[in-house]
Amino acid sequence: QVQLVESGGGLVQAGGSLRLSCAVSGRTFSSYAMGWFRQAPGKEREFVGSIRGSGGSTYYVDSVKGRFTISRDNAKNMVYLQMNSLKPEDTAVYYCAATQIQHITVTSQRNYNYWGQGTQVTVSS
């Protein structure tokens, strides 16, 4: 069983930065591609970005490109979401998720098998 625990959320002013962390249990962390999703109030959960198991390939939705960076440390079973130049519209609960599909970039949440509990990010204007 794989367990994911996010941390690092909080309240930040527009233009500020936050780094979210996701700790993953399990011995085969590098066999999972990791994704970040977010869900704003009253909206569906949406894909933010992902990183392959080796850490060599990342993918982002257009709305966060150039502002958000996903990285991972396979030795520590950790994945990170560095968020810069935050905007009020980035306010959401952020989730990390794991999938064993690695040959393609997976953006659909139904293809992710394991999920964290989420961490709240609030960006004030």
Side-chain angles (χ1 to χ4, degrees):
Q1 185 73 6
V2 177
Q3 293 184 324
L4 291 72
V5 179
E6 301 98 335
S7 61
L11 173 65
V12 64
Q13 289 188 330
S17 299
L18 278 176
R19 188 176 85 151
L20 305 183
S21 299
C22 177
V24 182
S25 67
R27 300 179 184 177
T28 58
F29 178 57
S30 62
S31 69
Y32 292 91
M34 300 299 298
W36 284 96
F37 291 77
R38 65 186 181 186
Q39 186 167 20
K43 295 187 177 181
E44 294 188 355
R45 188 157 55 184
E46 66 172 355
F47 175 79
V48 174
S50 64
I51 187 168
R52 300 284 179 94
S54 65
S57 178
T58 54
Y59 179 84
Y60 304 94
V61 295
D62 287 346
S63 59
V64 307
K65 279 182 182 177
R67 300 189 300 122
F68 290 12
T69 303
I70 298 174
S71 61
R72 65 190 293 161
D73 185 337
N74 285 347
K76 296 181 178 180
N77 281 25
M78 296 291 295
V79 63
Y80 306 99
L81 178 64
Q82 177 67 44
M83 305 184 293
N84 299 328
S85 302
L86 282 161
K87 305 175 181 180
E89 51 264 43
D90 294 318
T91 295
V93 177
Y94 283 72
Y95 300 88
C96 64
T99 176
Q100 289 186 293
I101 301 173
Q102 298 220 51
H103 63 285
I104 57 172
T105 297
V106 182
T107 62
S108 173
Q109 57 183 312
R110 64 176 177 266
N111 292 126
Y112 284 81
N113 309 101
Y114 303 101
W115 292 82
Q117 82 288 351
T119 186
Q120 176 71 46
V121 172
T122 303
V123 184
S124 63
S125 57

